[in-house]
Amino acid sequence: MGNTATKAGKTIYQPFIRHFNGSSWQAVTIPHSAGSTADWVLASAASNVWVGGLKNSPDATSVVYRWNGARWAKIPLPALTYLQDVDVLGPDNVWAFGDSGTVGYDIFHWNGSKWRYYLADNTNFIPQKISASAANNVWVSGFTYSGSKQVVAAYRWNGSAWHSVSMPHPVLNDGGPNVTAVSPANVWIGWYDTTTSHVLHWDGHQWRTVSLPYYADPTNVVPDGKGGYWFGAEAVVSGTTWTIEDVPGFTGDYGYVTRIPGTTSFLLNAGVGTSAATVKPTIFRFDL
């Protein structure tokens, strides 16, 4: 999944999607999808794959498609709606946040046939990331204001309603916090400021501040399947022991670590520069 561009640097509004069938990568075509990008792909099963992007229009407007194992279908959205982050739990349980020119709410929930909306967008909370471990454990991290300062805040869906989370409210200096909800008693909220990385961890009873080494990414926390966690592409922690894992050397940049479900194998997307003007989409795999 990704975007393509002309040699002049203009975005080509045609979803670029590849599917790995266990032995090779195959091009995927979504019918009648011309005129939009493919910015994200999420799945809860092979028969429940969601792809979203933006229309070729002056206003940021999302387009969403779902694969049900046999065919693609376009998922309707309210007009002028931009989904900024999405988490897919099942075909009838998808959470997202964003903004809309027609719906006055920040949180969107797909129940299998229609969207429902929560948290009016005139509240003092600005969502930044959404994460869910179950239907009754959905978290949204973001910030609110204390006077003129932005401070960390979060809301949690307990299966019936959204509630503001009682937690520390550190001041943000640069960017909003990400959240990773592993379980109701295991939630991580991390962010950067101009000089330091920060992480708060909820253990089901209390919040504690976690000290990170300089090479850890507080916005990319991934359970390793053995009781430890990745913090970005180079840091793994088990208990209180941190290990550096070197990314293979290349010219270019890399993104987030993701875990192959049910395994202790991990993928890292990257753009490898093969020449001054050419970047090759690349995926690295790491096996514990």
Side-chain angles (χ1 to χ4, degrees):
M1 175 277 302
N3 293 329
T4 54
T6 66
K7 290 184 178 180
K10 293 184 178 181
T11 299
I12 298 174
Y13 284 91
Q14 177 66 54
F16 177 87
I17 304 171
R18 296 293 186 268
H19 173 245
F20 189 69
N21 62 11
S23 59
S24 63
W25 289 95
Q26 305 294 324
V28 175
T29 300
I30 300 177
H32 312 297
S33 61
S36 66
T37 59
D39 299 325
W40 53 264
V41 58
L42 294 165
S44 65
S47 59
N48 185 47
V49 182
W50 292 60
V51 173
L54 291 175
K55 288 182 180 180
N56 182 7
S57 66
D59 300 310
T61 303
S62 292
V63 181
V64 177
Y65 299 91
R66 176 180 175 255
W67 171 257
N68 67 1
R71 61 183 62 86
W72 289 97
K74 188 175 182 179
I75 302 296
L77 280 169
L80 301 176
T81 294
Y82 172 35
L83 300 183
Q84 297 173 34
D85 196 29
V86 182
D87 205 343
V88 174
L89 292 172
D92 57 355
N93 197 359
V94 177
W95 289 95
F97 77 80
D99 53 53
S100 175
T102 53
V103 176
Y105 294 85
D106 287 330
I107 306 297
F108 300 78
H109 179 246
W110 175 257
N111 64 9
S113 59
K114 63 181 180 180
W115 295 96
R116 294 189 65 183
Y117 316 107
Y118 302 89
L119 295 185
D121 61 12
N122 60 359
T123 62
N124 195 29
F125 176 71
I126 312 299
Q128 299 291 293
K129 187 68 177 178
I130 193 165
S131 179
S133 67
N136 63 350
N137 189 51
V138 184
W139 288 66
V140 174
S141 61
F143 62 85
T144 187
Y145 286 92
S146 177
S148 61
K149 296 180 179 179
Q150 294 180 356
V151 298
V152 176
Y155 278 78
R156 179 185 174 228
W157 173 262
N158 64 5
S160 58
W162 284 95
H163 296 279
S164 177
V165 175
S166 177
M167 61 179 296
H169 296 292
V171 174
L172 294 168
N173 295 321
D174 183 23
N178 279 21
V179 61
T180 302
V182 182
S183 73
N186 190 359
V187 180
W188 303 80
I189 294 180
W191 69 98
Y192 288 104
D193 63 22
T194 53
T195 60
T196 312
S197 56
H198 303 270
V199 165
L200 293 171
H201 179 239
W202 171 251
D203 64 5
H205 302 285
Q206 63 183 354
W207 291 94
R208 67 182 180 93
T209 300
V210 179
S211 297
L212 302 181
Y214 70 90
Y215 51 87
D217 181 351
T219 66
N220 183 203
V221 183
V222 181
D224 69 2
K226 295 184 175 182
Y229 300 87
W230 286 85
F231 279 73
E234 298 180 272
V236 180
V237 63
S238 180
T240 59
T241 302
W242 290 90
T243 303
I244 298 178
E245 299 293 350
D246 293 327
V247 177
F250 64 93
T251 300
D253 200 5
Y254 58 80
Y256 276 9
V257 172
T258 58
R259 180 181 170 191
I260 301 175
T263 73
T264 54
S265 297
F266 304 84
L267 303 178
L268 175 68
N269 65 298
V272 175
T274 58
S275 68
T278 303
V279 175
K280 182 180 180 180
T282 303
I283 295 177
F284 294 102
R285 174 169 170 160
F286 188 98
D287 299 305
L288 284 178

